[in-house]
Amino acid sequence: MTSTLNKNEGKTTQLIERQTSRLPSIAYLGLAFGSMLISASLAASARPQRRFGYSKRLELANFVGQWVPSLLLIGVYNKLVKVEHEMLSARSVVR
């Protein structure tokens, strides 16, 4: 599909759109919720230590918890790109 928007986009943007469109949008939501659950379980299982505060599990919980906004953002971007392509293809069929 060739449109004026695709002509103006860079090769990197087209590559990202091709890669992210391989998964359905709900998969990114599932990955985000999974990250939240893993992060919460790691934080709940972190044990206090005498010298250094908490175990490394709490640091890992924070690291995994920071994946959530990125995964949600990728999912929203994926959905917007799919809707845009549907609108452009419907528009070209009408003409």
Side-chain angles (χ1 to χ4, degrees):
M1 165 186 353
T2 310
S3 71
T4 56
L5 291 175
N6 286 341
K7 289 178 186 176
N8 293 333
E9 290 180 354
K11 292 181 181 180
T12 305
T13 304
Q14 291 174 356
L15 176 68
I16 291 170
E17 286 178 4
R18 273 196 309 272
Q19 296 300 322
T20 58
S21 68
R22 290 183 179 181
L23 282 176
S25 300
I26 193 75
Y28 294 106
L29 184 62
L31 289 170
F33 279 125
S35 297
M36 281 190 267
L37 291 174
I38 292 170
S39 176
S41 65
L42 285 169
S45 67
R47 302 201 189 280
Q49 294 179 342
R50 290 183 183 178
R51 290 187 177 176
F52 305 110
Y54 283 89
S55 65
K56 294 288 183 180
R57 285 189 181 189
L58 192 58
E59 292 177 15
L60 185 60
N62 287 332
F63 175 70
V64 172
Q66 290 177 1
W67 297 350
V68 176
S70 300
L71 290 168
L72 290 175
L73 186 61
I74 292 170
V76 168
Y77 178 79
N78 183 28
K79 191 69 168 179
L80 287 173
V81 167
K82 286 181 179 180
V83 168
E84 178 191 25
H85 285 292
E86 288 175 8
M87 289 175 61
L88 288 173
S89 64
R91 195 167 122 194
S92 65
V93 169
V94 171
R95 287 184 180 179

